[in-house]
Amino acid sequence: QNGVMSGLMQMLLLKVSAHITEQLGMAPGGEFREAFKEASKVPFCKFHLGDRPIPVTFKRAIAALSFWQKVKLAWGLCFLSDPISKDDVEKCKQKDLLEQMMAEMIGEFPDLHRTIVSERDIYLTYMLKQAAKQIELPRASENEPRKYIPAVVVGVVGMGHVPGIEKNWNSDLKIQEIMSVPPPSTSSKIFKFVLKATVFGLLGYGCYRIGHRTVQLVLSMPATQSYLQRLTEVPQQ
């Protein structure tokens, strides 16, 4: 539904998530599940999923990478086997180490960092600011002056997004551009065509081989040979 490259990327990221879950004994995203549980305990609390839709992020991320960057990233995700401990997770909570890791990511895949981190920083900031707008109280009549109360908002975000949200908070944000999905590149179209042709070609060849062997097996059976012999003898009689 979301395209070949986007689908493959989602499969690889699910593999990464499974690897983390296996290593730590807990699934990523636990902070969001916990936030949902806590929100359900607060009267009149609204729970809002404020991140950019995953298909948009994936498609923009894939479009931003060159063909060789896609191959390099897919190779790294396919053979991800580095052990992860709970101590490593605690170290990642330190701001200096987190910034160092982000700097390494920027150096290797700057366009990927822009689409997956920086653009989502803008989107998350925009959604938080929308949620933080003052709430207008109901009025008894139109002549009554408008009254507002401040909104109480608790934002639960990944630590890597906190610096970007702080940076963008006082900016006039526009999210139309980062919500658009660029058309597929020529290399992406060629790769998609080659992949489809390869899959259908292998399926066709597999069906041919299976059918050929099945026919040979059926013809070699004594019952089949006896039946065919009878058929050849009927016209002669």
Side-chain angles (χ1 to χ4, degrees):
Q1 290 179 350
N2 296 325
V4 176
M5 292 300 298
S6 183
L8 290 173
M9 187 64 68
Q10 288 190 45
M11 289 173 62
L12 291 174
L13 291 178
L14 284 173
K15 179 181 181 297
V16 174
S17 177
H19 173 69
I20 295 172
T21 303
E22 182 182 3
Q23 293 286 320
L24 299 178
M26 58 182 180
E31 66 273 30
F32 302 116
R33 287 187 285 273
E34 194 63 28
F36 179 75
K37 291 179 185 177
E38 293 299 320
S40 63
K41 301 175 185 177
V42 181
F44 308 108
C45 179
K46 294 181 180 179
F47 185 84
H48 181 63
L49 298 174
D51 203 349
R52 185 170 63 178
I54 290 177
V56 176
T57 298
F58 276 164
K59 288 180 180 180
R60 287 186 63 84
I62 291 167
L65 295 175
S66 67
F67 176 77
W68 293 113
Q69 283 179 320
K70 292 172 186 174
V71 172
K72 186 178 180 181
L73 179 64
W75 182 267
L77 293 176
C78 281
F79 295 95
L80 180 70
S81 59
D82 296 335
I84 305 170
S85 66
K86 292 185 178 181
D87 291 336
D88 295 331
V89 176
E90 292 300 320
K91 289 178 182 176
C92 287
K93 294 179 182 179
Q94 300 174 17
K95 191 173 181 182
D96 55 348
L97 180 61
L98 187 65
E99 289 176 350
Q100 179 185 343
M101 292 170 61
M102 298 291 279
E104 291 175 0
M105 181 181 174
I106 293 171
E108 193 167 3
F109 298 104
D111 293 324
L112 192 66
H113 178 274
R114 173 176 55 80
T115 52
I116 292 184
V117 180
S118 300
E119 288 184 0
R120 285 173 60 223
D121 288 345
I122 295 172
Y123 189 90
L124 289 166
T125 307
Y126 178 84
M127 297 304 289
L128 281 169
K129 290 180 74 172
Q130 291 297 310
K133 286 183 175 180
Q134 289 185 326
I135 302 170
E136 183 180 355
L137 294 175
R139 294 183 294 166
S141 66
E142 300 226 356
N143 297 326
E144 186 179 346
R146 298 177 184 271
K147 294 182 181 179
Y148 299 88
I149 59 172
V152 179
V153 180
V154 178
V156 181
V157 299
M159 287 190 66
H161 292 291
V162 174
I165 292 173
E166 292 176 346
K167 176 185 174 184
N168 292 309
W169 189 259
N170 294 318
S171 303
D172 184 20
L173 303 174
K174 308 290 184 185
I175 63 168
Q176 289 80 4
E177 183 181 347
I178 62 173
M179 288 300 293
S180 63
V181 178
S185 62
T186 305
S187 60
S188 178
K189 291 179 181 178
I190 294 172
F191 176 80
K192 184 177 180 180
F193 174 78
V194 171
L195 183 63
K196 281 186 175 181
T198 303
V199 170
F200 284 117
L202 290 173
L203 284 173
Y205 180 72
C207 292
Y208 166 75
R209 293 290 296 175
I210 292 172
H212 185 66
R213 289 185 179 181
T214 303
V215 171
Q216 284 185 330
L217 180 63
V218 171
L219 290 177
S220 65
M221 295 173 64
T224 306
Q225 291 182 353
S226 176
Y227 179 74
L228 291 174
Q229 187 175 2
R230 289 177 187 175
L231 287 177
T232 55
E233 289 175 354
V234 170
Q236 294 176 0
Q237 293 175 357

